[in-house]
Every structure is written in structure tokens, then in C-alpha cells.
Amino acid sequence: MGGPVVLGIESSCDETGAGIVRDGRLLAHVVASSMDDHARFGGVVPEIAARAHLQSFNPVVREALDRAGLRVGQIDAVAVTTGPGLSGALQVGLAGAKSLAYAAGVPLYGVHHLAGHVAADTLEHGPLPSPCVVLIVSGGHTSLLLVRDLVREPILHLGDTLDDAAGECFDKVARILGLPYPGGPAIDRAARTGDPRAVAFPRPLTRPGDEPYAFSFSGLKTAAARWAERYRLRGERPPVADGAAALQEAVADVLTRKALAACRAHGVTTLVVVGGVAANSRVRALAEQRCADAGIELRVPAMTLCTDNGAMIAAVGDLLVRAGAEPAPLDVSIDPSAPLDHASLTPAPEPRLRAA
């Protein structure tokens, strides 16, 4: 029969995801994206995202169940992203997950979104080695973590971005270069015909004395903007392919340089790279090259598991259930700015006002 079946729900930004996992094995996952609705605004509009989640929630869950050959009554637990993310988007996912858990009479688990990204790798490569260094790199987050037991032990933050995340830098520079949203895939495509050495973009926070595991991409974004502006002031169009290739090289260099340094400093032999920017071809290639040179195992999830999805949340829920973790109360609330200390995220309910 196998172990408990866990349904995972993700709705922190512009993807509505449902995934089903049992004993670390992915049974099904479905994602509906509202990215096209946001493209003309050059970024995610929270109200549009929340409405899209309302429309997509039931169809996405039904399709995931159909693909797994299951009914709601055969689900043993529900896991849902309770933070961080957009408040309205999180509320939609949490409300839907509560309804499913209540209807099925099963426990509900609140999950930290970033822990989900970490757990996504287990669906392809099995349990995480303990310890391992994890590089989370996406549109909203760039972090280096030291992870042991993902659901039983605290997660140690080695460093985070001080300003723009790597994916955010890609989005903003793509807009400057006249490339479409989302910027990450557009930069990657444009860079294929460019020369990564054509522009000497800076490598932020890589000088001696800088914080070894902190990131900063705001200055890199500004450098790219000034480079493009110099061409436009002369009435010329910037060489977009060269700019994209040079920017991508700078981001990949900084990310992999700091990740490898963290592995060496902590005696870790496995690096896990997760998040939407883990799908970037140059980030993957440079990570593979540098890990091979350093004798470090590199683990990167499949492309479909790099971006936000319900499978990664189900993966954390599956680990929590098998570890005997306490489920969340049904009146659990969201935490849009939750720090990543533990995989389970069950903020206390908001206080209720007493009657006078």
C-alpha cells in the first residue's frame, strides 16, 4: 500500500500548484501560471495573482488527483505554503487547503516556501545528504543555507541578498534591454549569441573583506543600466546579446563562487542549487564545472521543479508526516515575510479582539 499520501498546495506568487507525493515519490503535479496576465505590467501584480489563484485552485487540484488516480478521500495529509509570499495569494491557497483538509478529515501542515524549494531536489535525487549547502536563487530570494535534517533540525542561514535577488536583477535588466517579462528566460535566450567577455560587469561583494556569503545585485543592475544608457545617448541600440551574456556570466560567477566557498569552509561535499534561476543555463553549466573541479557533488532538480510548484510543498509535507511532526491547527495564519528557520511554518493565529 505504501505510506501516507500528501497533497501539497503552492500559491505564494503567480503560480497555482498542486502536487501529490508518497514516500518521497512524486505521483503527480500540476501548475497553472498567471504570468501572461502580469507580463504587460513588467512584474507580478498582487491583486491579479490572487484572482488567478481563485480561478485556478479547484481545476489544478482536480487535475493533480486525476493524474495520480486518486480521490480526495484517499489523501492522508495536506501541506500548504503559509509564507513567505504575497499576502492575498497565500490567503487563497491556505483557505483552499484548509477546506480540503477539513473535508477529508486529515491533518494540515504549514510549509515554508523556501524549504519547499530545498525539498524539490529530493523528488529527483532522493534524501538530502547531511549536511549539505543549498543555494536558493529565484526572483525574490538569493540565499546560502547549511542544511542537515530538513524537517528535524534548524536551517542555518549563511548569507542572503542585501537588496535585489538574482532573478529580480534579471527581470529589471531585461526590461532595460527591451526584452520581455519574465526576464530570466529572456536573458538566457538572448545570451546564446552574445560574448560574455564583451562587458566587464562588476562582481558584487567578492573582494577581500566583503561578507563572504552575502549577495547584492542592485549595483550590477545599475551598471547594466548605465552601460545601455551610454549607447542610447549616442543614438545607438545596445548590443543586447553581449549585454545579456555578460550579465548572466557575472551573476553565475558570483553565485557559484560563493556557494563553493561555503562548501569548502564547512567541509561539505554536496551543493544543492534550487529555485527559478537554477534553470538558467549558465548558472547550471558554471556550477557543474566548478563543482567537478572541486570534487563536490552538484544536485539540481529538473527544470519543472525549479520554479514554484505544489510538488515541492508536498515533498516537505511528506517528510513532516514521516518524521511524526505536529500538524498545524486549522486556524493557522499566513506569514508573508516569514524567516526560514524551520521547514514547518505554523505561525500563531492572529489575536482576536475581545468584546468590551
Side-chain angles (χ1 to χ4, degrees):
M1 290 292 292
V5 176
V6 181
L7 170 66
I9 302 296
E10 158 61 25
S11 70
S12 65
C13 192
D14 60 340
E15 279 101 5
T16 310
I20 301 174
V21 171
R22 178 170 56 199
D23 288 335
R25 186 168 67 90
L26 180 61
L27 303 183
H29 93 103
V30 178
V31 177
S33 174
S34 60
M35 188 177 295
D36 290 345
D37 297 330
H38 306 281
R40 66 192 179 99
F41 300 102
V44 176
V45 180
E47 292 82 1
I48 293 175
R51 289 193 207 105
H53 289 307
L54 280 169
Q55 294 170 350
S56 300
F57 185 91
N58 285 336
V60 163
V61 170
R62 279 198 301 268
E63 186 173 345
L65 289 168
D66 288 346
R67 289 186 184 182
L70 297 169
R71 301 183 305 276
V72 171
Q74 294 173 288
I75 296 297
D76 298 298
V78 177
V80 60
T81 302
T82 47
L86 302 174
S87 178
L90 290 168
Q91 290 283 15
V92 174
L94 179 57
K98 284 181 178 182
S99 299
L100 287 169
Y102 182 79
V106 299
L108 176 72
Y109 292 85
V111 171
H112 196 288
H113 174 78
L114 297 186
H117 276 301
V118 177
D121 183 72
T122 67
L123 297 174
E124 186 170 357
H125 299 119
L128 294 171
S130 178
C132 62
V133 167
V134 178
L135 172 64
I136 298 180
V137 55
S138 67
H141 306 278
T142 302
S143 301
L144 270 174
L145 314 171
L146 183 64
V147 177
R148 293 184 173 87
D149 188 307
L150 181 62
V151 300
R152 290 185 176 92
E153 297 185 49
I155 297 164
L156 177 62
H157 266 257
L158 302 177
D160 297 282
T161 185
L162 304 178
D163 40 59
D164 289 355
E168 186 179 1
C169 176
F170 280 151
D171 284 340
K172 291 178 177 177
V173 175
R175 191 168 187 175
I176 291 166
L177 297 178
L179 297 172
Y181 176 86
I187 291 283
D188 204 348
R189 288 191 298 270
R192 292 172 190 165
T193 57
D195 179 1
R197 295 162 297 186
V199 190
F201 284 137
R203 270 54 171 171
L205 296 183
T206 56
R207 296 173 301 183
D210 287 338
E211 294 185 50
Y213 310 128
F215 299 93
S216 171
F217 294 105
S218 179
L220 178 57
K221 170 201 66 184
T222 301
R226 288 176 176 168
W227 169 80
E229 184 181 22
R230 285 195 293 271
Y231 280 91
R232 292 186 175 121
L233 288 174
R234 299 196 299 263
E236 301 173 12
R237 187 173 183 271
V240 172
D242 286 347
L247 176 80
Q248 186 171 262
E249 188 68 22
V251 170
D253 182 21
V254 171
L255 292 174
T256 56
R257 191 187 306 190
K258 287 177 176 279
L260 268 292
C263 290
R264 288 191 292 267
H266 291 85
V268 170
T269 58
T270 302
L271 171 64
V272 183
V273 183
V274 296
V277 179
N280 179 272
S281 62
R282 185 54 185 157
V283 170
R284 283 180 174 245
L286 193 55
E288 289 172 2
Q289 175 192 324
R290 288 181 168 174
C291 282
D293 291 344
I296 291 173
E297 179 192 8
L298 175 67
R299 292 176 37 157
V300 186
M303 300 274 266
T304 56
L305 294 175
C306 285
T307 52
D308 293 350
N309 62 85
M312 68 187 198
I313 304 304
V316 177
D318 175 61
L319 292 171
L320 290 168
V321 170
R322 288 193 280 154
E326 192 73 19
L330 272 178
D331 60 351
V332 64
S333 63
I334 63 166
D335 187 348
S337 56
L340 178 57
D341 298 315
H342 296 85
S344 179
L345 181 60
T346 54
E350 295 178 4
R352 297 180 175 87
L353 297 176
R354 295 182 180 179

